Amino acid sequence: MPEPSLTSRSSLSARLDALPFTRSHLRVLTGSGVGWALDAMDVGLISFIIAVLADQWSLSPATAGWIASVGFIGMAVGASVGGLLADRLGRRHVFAITLLIYGIATGASALVGGVALLLVLRFFVGLGLGAELPVASTYVSEFAPARIRGRLIVILEAFWAVGWTASALIGYFVIPASENGWRWAFALGAIPAAYALFIRWGLPESPRWLASRGRAGEADRIVSKLETDAALQRTPAIRKDPAQVALVVGRGRIGMLWAPEFRLRTLSVWTVWFCVNFAYYGAFIWIPSILVAAGYDLIRSFGFTLLITLAQLPGYAAAAWLIEVWGRRVTLSVFLAGSAISAIVFGLADSQAMVIGAGMALSFFNLGAWGALYAVTPEIYPTSLRGTGAGWAAGIGRIASIIAPLLVPVMLAKGGALLAFVVFSVFFAIATAAAWGLVDRRGAALDDR
């Protein structure tokens, strides 16, 4: 059945939402997704590299924890600043710059000879990575038609599983292959530096952002190109309402997050981000090391981690389908509750089969929750506030990801894996409750103020 004509639709939002899924949408999704996968590969690699460097460099648990946490310090700064810059400078420019920063820093990490320089470079890796993820989800959500927007963001997040799987493969085949295997792993992480050039020149800017900045002509050309790709009739030029834009921007972006209209959703989304980051990074950064400490050799523990990682893909697939069936809040809360249960079971695991099964369940539910969280976060704010809102939510979450890797060695020493994963379960449970304070915009147009 042919798509309806857009002749009578003059608003930017209506024109974008009435589009079918086109090749241009696919380019935006895959172009952003490949960058997302490369990000995940970098974050995943550090969990394997820490396990190796702990032996080669005789690192204490505290020092190993700092190698993980310093990157998250950079992420916290990057996410907060990156969101603000995306609202000021545009989504595409910030996306490309952040990829370039962390790609170069990751490649340089392959040459380090000691902990001090590695910590400095990991901070810059985190700076780029932290800014890129919320900007990418905001960017894709502003192109996506309303009826499939949540699904496309979960698919975007699913590229994380591709990257994490790549890191697990590198961890299994490359890192143990030689004494310098970890250096080759870092070198592979430099790929995003070259990919940033493609992002900068190969993808269009967000038309919603352009219109919000008064650049309606440029926005109209991009939307018209999408309509041409979809074989739809060209529509009247985009008009913007300056008064609506000023209403949001004039009060200050960060302060506006706590205006009465947004207060509950900001508190809720910050709580969810904080709790999910704490539990996710506390668990997955340390799983290879926990398995080694439990008596499994390095190669077997990396093999188990690879199997656990593969369960991310069906988790994303389930979330991508359910998010447009159940809605954002229900899908997010169900997957968070599943994560809470899986974390306890993993902590109780006393056999190889139980470790793999519980780990795969945790991976399935946790990454499905991540997909739903990235889908709902940009939707709860208007266009002129969207990058800032998504960036600050991610930045608050990164505070937890700084703390968690440092606390895990302490929890393991006091109560073993059971204590650590019970704590992770509690954080997932808190996030489950907080998810109900979010606005569910399934099938609704984005707020273009």
Side-chain angles (χ1 to χ4, degrees), residues 408-426:
V408 168
V410 177
M411 291 189 289
L412 292 175
K414 290 190 175 295
L418 178 58
L419 174 61
F421 280 87
V422 167
V423 171
F424 298 148
S425 179
V426 170

Side-chain angles (χ1 to χ4, degrees), residues 18-231:
L19 286 166
F21 185 76
T22 67
R23 275 187 234 173
S24 295
H25 288 108
L26 183 61
R27 282 181 58 235
V28 167
L29 179 64
T30 56
S32 303
V34 172
W36 201 291
L38 293 170
D39 289 351
M41 185 176 74
D42 178 86
V43 176
L45 281 175
I46 199 64
S47 67
F48 296 100
I49 290 171
I50 285 173
V52 171
L53 291 184
D55 178 58
Q56 287 190 13
W57 290 0
S58 301
L59 301 179
S60 68
T63 302
W66 271 109
I67 292 174
S69 288
V70 74
F72 295 123
I73 295 173
M75 286 183 187
V77 176
S80 303
V81 175
L84 285 166
L85 291 177
D87 281 338
R88 291 176 180 272
L89 305 179
R91 300 2 179 168
R92 183 182 65 170
H93 289 76
V94 176
F95 189 21
I97 291 168
T98 56
L99 280 167
L100 189 62
I101 289 171
Y102 98 82
I104 292 174
T106 298
S109 299
L111 306 175
V112 300
V115 173
L117 183 55
L118 179 59
L119 289 174
V120 172
L121 290 172
R122 290 308 300 171
F123 173 81
F124 281 99
V125 168
L127 192 68
L129 179 59
E132 191 272 332
L133 296 182
V135 173
S137 61
T138 298
Y139 177 72
V140 174
S141 71
E142 291 182 345
F143 276 93
R147 66 189 177 279
I148 58 171
R149 185 174 58 240
R151 187 162 294 160
L152 291 186
I153 299 302
V154 178
I155 292 172
L156 170 68
E157 234 285 288
F159 279 88
W160 183 272
V162 175
W164 201 281
T165 302
S167 74
L169 290 170
I170 294 170
Y172 186 74
F173 291 108
V174 176
I175 293 177
S178 68
E179 185 178 352
N180 290 319
W182 64 272
R183 296 185 185 274
W184 286 108
F186 271 139
L188 290 172
I191 294 173
Y195 183 69
L197 297 177
F198 168 77
I199 289 293
R200 172 62 180 84
W201 299 110
L203 297 177
E205 182 54 87
S206 163
R208 293 180 190 270
W209 179 82
L210 289 169
S212 76
R213 304 296 288 184
R215 295 159 65 178
E218 295 175 64
D220 181 64
R221 285 192 290 275
I222 293 171
V223 178
S224 295
K225 174 64 166 59
L226 292 170
E227 292 168 347
T228 299
D229 289 348

Side-chain angles (χ1 to χ4, degrees), residues 204-289:
E205 182 54 87
S206 163
R208 293 180 190 270
W209 179 82
L210 289 169
S212 76
R213 304 296 288 184
R215 295 159 65 178
E218 295 175 64
D220 181 64
R221 285 192 290 275
I222 293 171
V223 178
S224 295
K225 174 64 166 59
L226 292 170
E227 292 168 347
T228 299
D229 289 348
L232 296 173
Q233 185 174 346
R234 191 180 185 282
T235 61
I238 292 169
R239 301 188 297 273
K240 82 179 189 81
D241 183 349
Q244 282 191 316
V245 174
L247 177 67
V248 175
V249 177
R251 293 185 56 173
R253 288 186 177 89
I254 299 174
M256 194 65 186
L257 295 176
W258 293 98
E261 180 182 357
F262 305 115
R263 190 174 298 150
L264 175 60
R265 63 187 76 173
T266 295
L267 177 62
S268 298
V269 80
W270 284 18
T271 301
V272 176
W273 272 89
F274 186 91
C275 291
V276 172
N277 270 272
F278 185 94
Y280 175 77
Y281 287 106
F284 283 90
I285 288 293
W286 280 97
I287 279 179
S289 298

Side-chain angles (χ1 to χ4, degrees), residues 292-316:
V292 170
Y296 299 104
D297 61 50
L298 198 66
I299 294 179
R300 285 183 77 199
S301 68
F302 284 6
F304 291 169
T305 304
L306 175 58
L307 290 175
I308 290 170
T309 299
L310 292 175
Q312 294 181 8
L313 287 169
Y316 282 125

